[in-house]
Amino acid sequence: MSRVLLLGATGLIGQELLKLLQANSRVEVIYAPTRRPLPTQDKLVNPCHEDVRVALAQWHEPVDIVFCCLGTTRKQAGSKQAFRFVDYTLVVDSAAQAKALGATHLLTVSAMSANATSPFFYSRTKGEMEAALRQQGWRHLTLVRPSLLLGERATRRPLEHFSAPLLKWLPAKWRAIEGKAVARALMNHAFSPEPKASVTVLEAEELRAWGSPPLAPDLLS
């Protein structure tokens, strides 16, 4: 039985992942701090605070697996500094807190373009976030790099909305992918019996392989 920490449970991928974790009999507790309260569910512990780090500081029970689906856009955040706070600072700080609680496997949603030396702010921030997580010394670190995400969001993203139909027909590396598929990939990879490397990077093509098939029966029994 696993005790899971889910960060970003109200987002496109996080809300789908929460459903999967609820259905997985191998999950004992889902600790999911959010800014807005989630519907009451079995297994779910849902403290609410504007800053996820404060909620984590008040949690003293051990956790085993961490899923980090935190992320925003510069437009939603309002500034470069606010974007970096969510996509770098909150991710890196929360991961460190989770590791201190005993977690051994961190799975983080990054971006296909992540590159710490990129001239583009978004890609550089994602790359620097990945580099900082690598330096934390996780027993298992999984960096997930999806292409453009499809699905119903609480806040509409015009670029994704208008680009998605075109990106469905591109080669696998660039093709848009459903948030549900990424959530399935995260779940399947986390609970797979296959040996895991200290650092695993799942690019868009690999996410399709992990996320397209139905969930393995042994993950839900």
Side-chain angles (χ1 to χ4, degrees):
M1 298 293 285
S2 297
R3 302 173 69 89
V4 169
L5 170 62
L6 174 58
L7 304 172
T10 59
L12 177 62
I13 297 172
Q15 62 185 347
E16 295 295 339
L17 185 53
L18 178 58
K19 296 175 187 176
L20 297 176
L21 292 171
Q22 281 293 125
N24 190 334
S25 63
R26 295 169 69 178
V27 174
E28 178 183 6
V29 175
I30 306 164
Y31 182 59
T34 57
R35 289 186 297 171
R36 304 182 303 277
L38 297 168
T40 302
Q41 303 175 48
D42 291 339
K43 303 182 184 180
L44 180 64
V45 179
N46 177 223
C48 295
H49 200 282
E50 285 296 314
D51 191 327
V52 66
R53 298 171 300 179
V54 175
L56 285 176
Q58 298 170 351
W59 179 253
H60 304 294
E61 299 293 328
V63 295
D64 305 302
I65 302 171
V66 185
F67 296 96
C68 183
C69 305
L70 293 171
T72 185
T73 64
R74 182 177 169 183
K75 181 178 181 180
Q76 286 180 315
S79 67
K80 280 187 173 182
Q81 292 76 14
F83 168 80
R84 184 175 175 83
F85 175 74
V86 174
D87 281 58
Y88 178 89
T89 304
L90 282 185
V91 173
V92 174
D93 288 356
S94 298
Q97 288 177 284
K99 191 170 185 289
L101 289 171
T104 58
H105 189 183
L106 169 65
L107 301 96
T108 300
V109 178
S110 182
M112 182 176 64
S113 61
N115 184 342
T117 61
S118 173
F120 301 104
F121 178 72
Y122 176 86
S123 300
R124 186 170 66 253
T125 299
K126 291 292 191 180
E128 291 173 347
M129 176 269 288
E130 289 188 3
L133 294 180
R134 287 173 182 266
Q135 292 175 359
Q136 289 181 349
W138 284 86
R139 183 183 300 176
H140 302 298
L141 171 63
T142 302
L143 302 171
V144 173
R145 296 176 178 171
S147 52
L148 187 73
L149 293 169
L150 302 177
E152 294 297 324
R153 295 184 184 273
T155 303
R156 189 180 184 189
R157 296 184 180 181
L159 177 61
E160 292 181 359
H161 177 75
F162 292 110
S163 301
L166 298 175
L167 293 180
K168 284 183 178 181
W169 304 104
L170 292 177
K173 180 178 179 179
W174 304 97
R175 195 179 307 154
I177 185 170
E178 293 282 348
K180 292 180 180 180
V182 177
R184 287 196 299 268
L186 286 164
M187 169 76 103
N188 280 335
H189 183 73
F191 289 93
S192 169
E194 297 179 10
K196 296 177 178 62
S198 56
V199 178
T200 302
V201 178
L202 296 181
E203 303 285 0
E205 307 97 312
E206 295 164 296
L207 285 176
R208 296 180 195 286
W210 280 99
S212 294
L215 288 170
D218 62 323
L219 299 185
L220 300 177
S221 60

